[in-house]
Amino acid sequence: MKNWYKLLCGLLLAIQVVSAQTKNGKTFTIIPLGVKGGLDESNLSAYLLKPTGGTQYICLDGGTVRAGLQQAITHHVFPGRASDVLKSQVRAYFISHPHLDHVEGMLQNAPDDSAKALYGLPFCLNIIQDKYFNWKSWGNFADAGDPPALGKFRYMPMDSGVATPIADLDLEVSAYPLRHSAPGQSTAFLVKHQSSYLLYLGDTGPDALEGGNNLRQLWEAVSPILKARQLKGIMIETSFPNEQSDHALYGHLTPHWLMTELAVLDSLAGPGSLKGLPVLITHIKPVGNNEARIKVQLAKGNALGVKLLFPQQAQVITL
Ligand SMILES: [Zn+2]
Ligand SMILES: [Zn+2]
């Protein structure tokens, strides 16, 4: 009897959650732990992500972790203590590339962290293994590499373009390689929940400057999803304002180059497809009045009519 009652309550709750989700159409909940592209070590790229209604998160990049969680607690996004949230609610890191501004929070917190999966393309995990978790830069908290391997983090190398199911989270993630000022590389993660998708890009420059066609290949993979109206949003960098000259971009985007690249996606999916789509601008380099200039330039150059959003640390976004 008791079990039946529990089952019924669980079922009712599940129906409520699903209907709440479909009512407002919000599939993904994002909690930015850090949003900037440098300088401020308390606010570097890291984004918690979960299916709306769930309790467990993945963390896209790990630049700032604890300071971001503390801000989130101050803003009543979470109760309790940062280390408890990190240990009990963050299941896995997805690292786009091993630049310090994308991994330092993950590294710093490793001694006090709970067991987690560390997902990434092989190039990225190899660098983390060889250059950080090697007992010279830092202890080896992962499960391979220079002994003794403490085994707290499990390396989970991803195959390009292959959807990886994330156990218990009802999420699937596919990784796509990006260029980031050779020899630098980076990664885009396409996250799927049920029939909805969110696209997160690590640092990257435009194809025209990086050489190759990595972004074009990504846009080709994403365009059918956009066309089918299953894409909920794109998180992509705009590190510098348009005044930054092309040879000083070091694998980054400006408002001009972002809109140039988004125009490729728009034309692949059918002109007008991007209209109203949330585009979350990440990784602004906080130098001088860059942020204000980038916002003005993006608004001016937004012929595609995307919905420009500027994530702030600890401010919850639902898409
Ligand atoms: Zn970066
Ligand atoms: Zn970088």
Side-chain angles (χ1 to χ4, degrees):
M1 190 65 187
K2 223 174 176 186
N3 282 345
W4 276 108
Y5 181 72
K6 263 189 198 165
L7 195 69
L8 189 69
C9 289
L11 208 65
L12 286 173
L13 192 69
I15 291 167
Q16 269 177 349
V17 168
V18 170
S19 63
Q21 258 173 269
T22 41
K23 228 186 262 168
N24 60 15
K26 306 291 189 189
T27 309
F28 297 104
T29 298
I30 301 162
I31 301 169
L33 298 183
V35 302
K36 296 186 188 214
L39 300 187
D40 180 356
E41 72 270 21
S42 69
N43 197 352
L44 300 171
S45 299
Y47 298 87
L48 292 181
L49 172 69
K50 67 170 184 176
T52 299
T55 55
Q56 299 286 304
Y57 295 83
I58 61 172
C59 193
L60 299 166
D61 279 326
T64 293
V65 173
R66 186 168 298 256
L69 285 171
Q70 260 151 7
Q71 280 294 318
I73 287 163
T74 304
H75 288 86
H76 309 290
V77 177
F78 295 109
R81 299 185 311 154
S83 64
D84 294 338
V85 177
L86 178 63
K87 284 181 190 169
S88 65
Q89 287 184 259
V90 183
R91 296 288 293 277
Y93 286 108
F94 284 78
I95 304 296
S96 69
H97 67 302
H99 280 168
L100 276 169
D101 59 315
H102 297 254
V103 297
E104 64 183 67
M106 178 272 287
L107 296 170
Q108 284 292 341
N109 283 283
D112 187 46
D113 210 335
S114 57
K116 287 185 178 22
L118 202 54
Y119 287 92
L121 287 174
F123 87 87
C124 178
L125 299 186
N126 288 341
I127 292 170
I128 290 172
Q129 179 176 316
D130 293 345
K131 304 298 182 193
Y132 299 131
F133 287 144
N134 58 11
W135 294 109
K136 296 180 193 112
S137 305
W138 202 228
N140 183 2
F141 294 92
D143 63 349
D146 292 336
L150 299 175
K152 184 175 277 189
F153 293 156
R154 300 182 310 284
Y155 288 122
M156 303 289 274
M158 302 173 81
D159 290 325
S160 289
V162 178
T164 305
I166 309 307
D168 307 333
L169 264 76
D170 201 3
L171 292 175
E172 273 180 22
V173 185
S174 310
Y176 294 86
L178 298 175
R179 294 198 176 199
H180 184 30
S181 191
Q185 301 175 70
S186 183
T187 311
F189 295 113
L190 181 64
V191 184
K192 182 184 185 206
H193 174 64
Q194 293 168 357
S195 60
S196 298
Y197 293 82
L198 176 73
L199 180 64
Y200 173 86
L201 289 88
D203 300 359
T204 193
D207 280 351
L209 300 180
E210 295 284 334
N213 58 355
N214 288 52
L215 274 175
R216 188 177 179 94
Q217 284 176 354
L218 177 66
W219 303 142
E220 281 171 358
V222 170
S223 61
I225 295 165
L226 175 62
K227 204 171 184 171
R229 306 206 157 272
Q230 290 173 289
L231 188 64
K232 295 286 181 172
I234 300 175
M235 303 174 72
I236 187 167
E237 71 137 277
T238 306
S239 293
F240 296 109
N242 288 334
E243 287 79 5
Q244 190 87 358
S245 71
D246 286 349
H247 59 260
L249 283 182
Y250 304 107
H252 292 293
L253 295 167
T254 60
H256 161 74
W257 283 119
L258 172 70
M259 291 304 175
T260 303
E261 285 295 345
L262 289 180
V264 177
L265 173 59
D266 193 66
S267 69
L268 286 169
S273 318
L274 276 174
K275 199 170 169 48
L277 188 86
V279 174
L280 283 63
I281 303 300
T282 64
H283 207 269
I284 294 174
K285 298 256 183 199
V287 181
N289 62 349
N290 269 7
E291 191 170 351
R293 278 196 288 175
I294 286 171
K295 283 182 178 173
V296 169
Q297 291 168 0
L298 283 170
K300 246 181 166 173
N302 188 13
L304 298 167
V306 301
K307 184 179 177 188
L308 292 164
L309 296 173
F310 297 88
Q312 296 297 313
Q313 187 174 50
Q315 292 189 9
V316 181
I317 298 168
T318 53
L319 296 174

